Amino acid sequence: MSHYDVIVIGAGAAGLMCAITAGNRGRNVLVLDHANKAGKKILMSGGGRCNFTNMYSEPENFISHNPHFCKSALARYTQWDFIALVDKHGIPYHEKKLGQLFCDNKASDILTMLLTECDDAGAKIQLNTSVEQIEKTEQGFALNAGNKPLTCESLVIATGALSIPTMGATGFGYDVARQFGHSILSTRAGLVPFVITNQLKPLCEALSGSSVDTTVSCNGQTFRENILFTHRGISGPAILQISSYWREGDEIEINLLPDFNAESWLAEEQSGRPNAELRTVLSDVFTKKMATLFCENWFESKPMKQYTPAELEKVAAQLSEWKITPSGTEGYRTAEVTIGGVDTNELSSKTMMSKKVEGLYFIGEVVDVTGWLGGFNFSWSWSSGHAAGESV
Ligand code: FAD
């Protein structure tokens, strides 16, 4: 029987950070993962360049039933701490936009850094290993992993959540939580494209591949970013962001003219170029294809002077308050994250330890804390992993 101070299940972002932090404290750490490679999601993140954190990370960028829960961990291991680690390893990076930091080269730079740090901290990683059984003992935990019995003092669940099942995502973390009497707050796909199957589908299909700068709102939240039309519906950063706030049946509102007051702009255009057709006016701010398709779908394109004030008001409302009820989302198949998870009321916000079972920890995406798009989800993985690593 092998004994460790700490066993971490899940060699993803949160699990590796926890192992590094605990190992650096002199703890004897084993990380187990059922996959054949550590950190697969890190490798596929940020389009292969890993948006590893956000310079402007604040607790407001996280969604949770308890919005205060993330504050302590985020404050004790900040984006600047992670950036210092990246700098220490000489990894080149850049700000893409809105504080989002990406590797200049490859996401594997971040994974290599974490694996090097694990190695330096003496944390052992064992892949291709499924954990079959976990039991609480007087001294800690007894596990059956890959048909071998293991014991540990502290057990950290860092198995992620349900997004991208083809990458090995499982509900394992939730099962362990339930086994030890924890509540799981209902889960749903987040940062995920919308599917449109209603009368809007032909417009989305026709515009597939086109993107436009917008503000998108739903349930009191607004994001300013591009939307992207797809064959299946709509996507793009603004849509991914708002999808985390959207529930089945909700309406979203898109402002296609976020920089203007649509009504006064159209009125100015009407007096400035009365003979220009609406389509021509719209193609000054949208692509020609978009202007044409919007006119075909929504308005009669005629010379501006022929529009009554009431008609122009309708055109303005359509463009600045376009209301869509998505038919659904693409689900966990393409979602970047899972909203919901292990109830934070039953965890210590300082250490991530269970309030029910001494020595049991939950970190990363399995917990009911979900970041916005833009590097915030890794921020949560680093911060929660570090918090647990300091305590185990
Ligand atoms: P994971 O990284 O999912 O790691 C969990 C680990 O546990 C995996 O290695 C898995 O194999 C293992 N595991 C699961 N079940 C078991 C089991 N039963 N037994 C043993 N091991 C198990 N976030 C950002 O901040 N920036 C980005 O650029 C970004 N890009 C993304 C792109 C994509 C396509 C996706 C899907 C997500 C992206 N995210 C991004 C989100 C980010 O990847 C996750 O929030 C983050 O990886 C969560 O870390 P984690 O350690 O909790 O879980």
Side-chain angles (χ1 to χ4, degrees):
M1 169 104 56
S2 306
H3 179 80
Y4 292 86
D5 296 333
V6 184
I7 291 184
V8 180
I9 310 182
L16 294 175
M17 177 54 82
C18 177
I20 293 164
T21 311
N24 283 335
R25 288 175 46 238
R27 305 294 278 159
N28 176 19
V29 184
L30 174 68
V31 185
L32 299 173
D33 202 299
H34 66 174
N36 58 359
K37 213 174 163 108
K40 281 191 180 181
K41 267 198 192 162
I42 297 174
L43 293 177
M44 74 188 297
S45 67
R49 288 227 160 87
C50 186
N51 178 193
F52 55 81
T53 194
N54 192 298
M55 294 198 292
Y56 310 126
S57 182
E58 293 284 344
E60 290 67 39
N61 305 121
F62 296 84
I63 302 165
S64 172
H65 285 79
N66 176 0
H68 301 292
F69 180 81
C70 63
K71 289 181 179 172
S72 170
L74 290 172
R76 282 179 309 114
Y77 190 84
T78 69
Q79 59 272 43
W80 306 111
D81 293 316
F82 193 78
I83 292 166
L85 185 64
V86 171
D87 283 337
K88 180 181 134 192
H89 285 257
I91 296 172
Y93 60 89
H94 60 278
E95 179 189 359
K96 195 169 169 192
K97 57 177 175 180
L98 306 168
Q100 302 167 5
L101 300 185
F102 283 76
C103 295
D104 286 355
N105 300 322
K106 285 189 191 147
S108 58
D109 284 355
I110 297 294
L111 182 58
T112 304
M113 172 187 87
L114 295 168
L115 295 177
T116 306
E117 286 282 327
C118 270
D119 212 33
D120 292 349
K124 200 172 138 196
I125 299 173
Q126 188 178 313
L127 301 170
N128 299 305
T129 305
S130 295
V131 177
E132 286 100 33
Q133 214 183 340
I134 302 173
E135 270 171 32
K136 181 82 185 90
T137 61
E138 248 176 58
Q139 294 79 26
F141 299 87
L143 278 68
N144 200 350
N147 281 327
K148 266 180 65 186
L150 297 170
T151 57
C152 60
E153 211 175 282
S154 300
L155 179 65
V156 183
I157 307 301
T159 45
L162 302 170
S163 36
I164 323 273
T166 49
M167 297 289 297
T170 63
F172 178 85
Y174 306 139
D175 295 341
V176 176
R178 282 192 202 98
Q179 178 191 338
F180 290 103
H182 278 266
S183 320
I184 307 302
L185 300 175
S186 68
T187 57
R188 63 182 201 279
L191 300 181
V192 62
F194 285 133
V195 175
I196 308 269
T197 54
N198 54 26
Q199 72 280 5
L200 262 180
K201 189 171 164 54
L203 178 64
C204 295
E205 277 174 343
L207 284 174
S208 172
S210 308
S211 67
V212 57
D213 180 27
T214 60
T215 56
V216 181
S217 309
C218 183
N219 291 324
Q221 195 69 37
T222 299
F223 291 96
R224 168 80 188 258
E225 275 263 32
N226 277 0
I227 63 169
L228 169 73
F229 294 94
T230 72
H231 279 290
R232 296 168 58 86
I234 35 175
S235 184
I239 292 298
L240 298 184
Q241 296 282 32
I242 213 70
S243 73
S244 295
Y245 289 86
W246 180 85
R247 304 295 181 107
E248 205 73 33
D250 286 344
E251 193 175 71
I252 63 166
E253 188 176 297
I254 301 178
N255 182 353
L256 293 160
L257 295 171
D259 285 325
F260 314 171
N261 175 320
E263 232 180 299
S264 19
W265 174 66
L266 287 168
E268 274 166 33
E269 292 294 317
Q270 188 177 45
S271 56
R273 22 185 201 162
N275 294 319
E277 280 212 14
L278 176 63
R279 186 178 38 221
T280 312
V281 169
L282 293 186
S283 47
D284 282 355
V285 287
F286 302 116
T287 61
K288 211 165 171 193
K289 187 176 178 187
M290 241 179 232
T292 305
L293 282 164
F294 288 163
C295 283
E296 277 174 20
N297 275 270
W298 297 330
F299 326 114
E300 184 193 349
S301 181
K302 52 187 182 184
M304 292 300 283
K305 65 183 176 199
Q306 292 179 17
Y307 283 91
T308 65
E311 282 174 330
L312 270 197
E313 209 176 292
K314 271 195 183 161
V315 173
Q318 175 64 49
L319 293 172
S320 58
E321 297 161 26
W322 180 23
K323 294 182 178 57
I324 295 180
T325 305
S327 315
T329 71
E330 291 191 1
Y332 294 119
R333 189 179 62 81
T334 61
E336 280 199 18
V337 287
T338 303
I339 315 256
V342 176
D343 188 350
T344 58
N345 286 325
E346 297 165 356
L347 303 177
S348 153
S349 61
K350 201 168 166 222
T351 64
M352 304 293 130
M353 190 170 82
S354 161
K355 288 180 184 170
K356 293 174 179 270
V357 181
E358 176 82 19
L360 179 64
Y361 295 77
F362 293 90
I363 57 172
E365 203 181 321
V366 72
V367 177
D368 171 36
V369 174
T370 308
W372 287 2
L373 186 77
F376 301 102
N377 284 295
F378 281 136
S379 284
W380 172 245
S381 294
W382 316 136
S383 295
S384 60
H386 187 268
E390 286 276 299
S391 166
V392 286

